[in-house]
Amino acid sequence: MKRILVTGSLGQIGTELVTALRRHPGVELVVASDIKMMPKRDGGDDGPFEYLDCTNQRQVEQVVRKYEVDTIYHLAALLSAVAEERPQVAWDVNLGGLYRVLEVARQNQCAIFFPSSIGAFGPGTPRDRTPQDTIQRPTTIYGVTKVAGELVCDYYHHRFGVDARGVRFPGLISHVAVPGGGTTDYAVEIFYEAIRNRRYTCFLEPNTRLDMMYMPDSIKAAIAVMEADPARLEHRNAFNIAAMNFTPEELTAEIRKHLPEFRMEYQVDPVRQAIADTWPRSLDDSAARREWGWQPDYDIATMTRDMLENLERKLRITEPGDQG
Ligand SMILES: NC(=O)c1ccc[n+]([C@@H]2O[C@H](COP(=O)([O-])OP(=O)(O)OC[C@H]3O[C@@H](n4cnc5c(N)ncnc54)[C@H](O)[C@@H]3O)[C@@H](O)[C@H]2O)c1
């Protein structure tokens, strides 16, 4: 029975990962943690929450010992667009935080999950069916910390035997928590605005193709890679995983099948466009499929239908009478 700590648990991924892990067979306890405080919820919480700054090794250590944690999902990070605004903080949190969590994992025999990203690739990387092992020379501070993170996780495994595993997430689409300042946030915002106002102003160009995934698939991947038979793992870390790829124009067309009056406008943000232009358009995920049976459940059509259904329900409750 696993005892799990999730750092950065109030973010887009953590919000849903904690819920999924708490229901997952073989999991005894899930400690949620963040530098933001947990909002008070009616009906009580379904598990412990700790204030935890991942750059503070003592704090990480105290929480790991207090709950006898054996597995850490280390999600705390600054996302690509935010990191570009505050590169020094991004270095401290994304790499300094990971290093400290790895040290605690080493000293307390914990397994660790580290989420890398399509941002770990750069302009020199083949952009279509990007191979598992290829050129990684990212030009963003986010990408630099992700490549270094992949390498230091591998190092801790080879050098110290720490069971560090992870995947490279594409842009993630979800309806529970809002995204935290990434380059693919448009693919979430578009659904909120389609329902609220029937129009959206996109910050990427209409033909910007990027690799994307629906949150249920990313949660499935994060859990599955940690449960994979280690004997079958050749890579262990930084697995490419893929589900769908599309442009803002193609997503608009898909949404229009459900909301024909939806209109898209464009006001390109040069910073985020420049980041997107260096990222893969699609990933080759054959290593993940071969080594631990990765397979996504959602494509653009099933994701769009599910997003619209769930968000319409959510906004009807949280913003009654305010929908277009
Ligand atoms: N969302 C995506 O599209 C995506 C894609 C690829 C990779 N990832 C990676 O997955 C992980 C989680 O992403 P997310 O989308 O949930 O991010 P998010 O920005 O939504 O959440 C990150 C959380 O980390 C917390 N945090 C920031 N600094 C911290 C610190 N010093 N100590 C503890 N907590 C801190 C924040 O308060 C926030 O709640 C990140 O490593 C991110 O790089 C995300």
Side-chain angles (χ1 to χ4, degrees), residues 48-225:
F49 177 86
E50 293 279 342
Y51 173 89
L52 192 160
D53 178 351
C54 69
T55 64
N56 183 331
Q57 193 168 323
R58 240 167 54 99
Q59 257 178 28
V60 181
E61 172 109 50
Q62 277 167 358
V63 173
V64 162
R65 294 222 165 134
K66 176 175 169 187
Y67 293 98
E68 298 176 0
V69 165
D70 55 44
T71 305
I72 305 172
Y73 279 80
H74 177 51
L75 305 182
L78 266 54
L79 297 197
S80 56
V82 179
E84 224 41 55
E85 279 166 24
R86 301 155 72 201
Q88 295 81 1
V89 181
W91 177 267
D92 281 347
V93 175
N94 293 15
L95 208 52
L98 172 63
Y99 167 71
R100 288 179 177 87
V101 171
L102 277 167
E103 266 301 289
V104 173
R106 179 180 72 79
Q107 289 166 24
N108 294 274
Q109 287 84 47
C110 299
I112 171 168
F113 172 85
F114 169 67
S116 188
S117 157
I118 51 171
F121 298 111
T125 306
R127 293 186 66 200
D128 297 300
R129 292 215 32 95
T130 302
Q132 173 68 40
D133 302 305
T134 184
I135 298 163
Q136 288 183 267
R137 304 284 297 170
T139 46
T140 61
I141 190 66
Y142 181 70
V144 169
T145 62
K146 288 300 182 189
V147 177
E150 293 179 2
L151 293 174
V152 77
C153 281
D154 275 342
Y155 178 78
Y156 266 68
H157 175 246
H158 294 137
R159 179 75 172 77
F160 302 118
V162 173
D163 188 4
R165 306 186 189 186
V167 298
R168 294 183 183 127
F169 284 128
L172 300 180
I173 301 159
S174 66
H175 56 80
V176 180
V178 290
T183 301
T184 53
D185 290 9
Y186 92 85
V188 179
E189 293 168 4
I190 191 173
F191 285 99
Y192 281 85
E193 292 311 305
I195 294 169
R196 284 179 180 138
N197 303 315
R198 301 292 193 259
R199 57 195 320 131
Y200 175 63
T201 305
C202 183
F203 56 76
L204 293 183
E205 284 168 6
N207 58 354
T208 310
R209 181 172 302 283
L210 287 169
D211 216 76
M212 299 279 184
M213 185 173 287
Y214 197 31
M215 190 59 85
D217 276 332
S218 58
I219 301 293
K220 183 170 97 162
I223 295 175
V225 75

Side-chain angles (χ1 to χ4, degrees), residues 1-6 21-22 24 26-32 46-48 63 66-71:
M1 293 293 276
K2 283 188 178 170
R3 299 176 68 85
I4 299 174
L5 167 65
V6 181
L21 285 171
R22 282 184 176 152
H24 195 68
V27 174
E28 186 183 347
L29 176 80
V30 180
V31 185
D46 42 9
V63 173
K66 176 175 169 187
Y67 293 98
E68 298 176 0
V69 165
D70 55 44
T71 305

